[in-house]
Amino acid sequence: MTSALLVIDVQESFRQRKNWAEVSNPGVAVEVGRLVDAAREKGGVVIWVLHSEPGSDTPFDPESGHVRLVDGLAPRDGEPVLTKTSRNAFTTTNLQQRLTELGVRKVVVCGIQTEQCCETTARLAADLGYEVDFVTEATATFPIRWDDRVLGTDDIIERTEFALAGRFATIRTVKELTEA
């Protein structure tokens, strides 16, 4: 089965925000890099996705210069780099068309943010009929603040795994996907 590694939003924009100091996995790019290397070695497809918010005057505004992969990650010739403006990687890109053209039936999801762009991409991929592996340890997130409450990163990650496992995705480890 042809599979594709979807690298979601591992971009400099996040590192420019004040809350980067609270990130759950500051080494997310290293874990993602391991998955990229393994996917390439196995002949899989690697698709890079960046989040953009044109006109927002934030680190996600293309004018900021931060809508680019973090240092240490780089696409090879022929690896698509898609730019999205929605939370999931499908709605505002031609991702589904590319996956169909490549004969992909299985996607592996990693990147930033665990419960937002990564989870929503995994859910939509499952709804579209793809087999989905979700690699939580190759994702990163931040505490969520709402009114006077805070949901910590460990709780966010656990909730995401519970919500996805057995319904939308199989939760995998980097080791499972790099040593197999």
Side-chain angles (χ1 to χ4, degrees):
M1 174 187 317
T2 302
S3 67
L5 175 65
L6 305 180
V7 180
I8 311 292
D9 304 345
V10 186
Q11 64 192 70
E12 187 61 29
S13 305
F14 282 104
R15 293 171 33 86
Q16 297 301 312
R17 293 180 8 186
K18 291 178 186 176
N19 69 346
W20 182 255
E22 299 176 284
V23 71
S24 63
N25 183 1
V28 64
V30 172
E31 298 301 326
V32 168
R34 291 178 60 203
L35 292 173
V36 169
D37 290 345
R40 288 172 175 163
E41 287 173 17
K42 295 174 185 176
V45 176
V46 178
I47 299 178
W48 305 85
V49 182
L50 296 171
H51 185 79
S52 176
E53 297 174 3
S56 66
D57 198 30
T58 70
F60 293 93
D61 187 330
E63 295 296 319
S64 72
H66 301 301
V67 180
R68 59 181 169 78
L69 295 170
V70 298
D71 291 342
L73 295 178
R76 285 190 178 163
D77 287 343
E79 292 178 346
V81 179
L82 309 178
T83 302
K84 64 181 180 59
T85 56
S86 65
R87 298 286 187 243
N88 73 76
F90 288 94
T91 302
T92 60
T93 71
N94 66 347
L95 176 59
Q96 184 178 8
Q97 177 184 350
R98 287 177 179 263
L99 294 173
T100 300
E101 289 170 354
L102 294 166
V104 170
R105 296 304 315 140
K106 178 179 188 172
V107 295
V108 178
V109 177
C110 63
I112 305 173
Q113 260 180 261
T114 308
E115 80 291 356
Q116 283 193 46
C117 299
C118 296
E119 181 180 339
T120 59
T121 296
R123 285 174 178 255
L124 188 48
D127 284 350
L128 293 171
Y130 295 96
E131 183 180 328
V132 180
D133 283 346
F134 193 88
V135 190
T136 313
E137 67 184 345
T139 69
T141 193
F142 307 89
I144 297 173
R145 289 170 174 76
W146 181 42
D147 292 332
D148 61 347
R149 297 182 291 175
V150 177
L151 187 62
T153 58
D154 289 344
D155 292 328
I156 293 166
I157 291 164
E158 181 179 44
R159 188 225 51 94
T160 299
E161 289 182 340
F162 270 90
L164 293 177
R167 290 186 279 291
F168 298 98
T170 301
I171 306 302
R172 301 292 219 162
T173 65
V174 171
K175 183 176 181 178
E176 287 175 310
L177 298 176
T178 59
E179 295 183 5

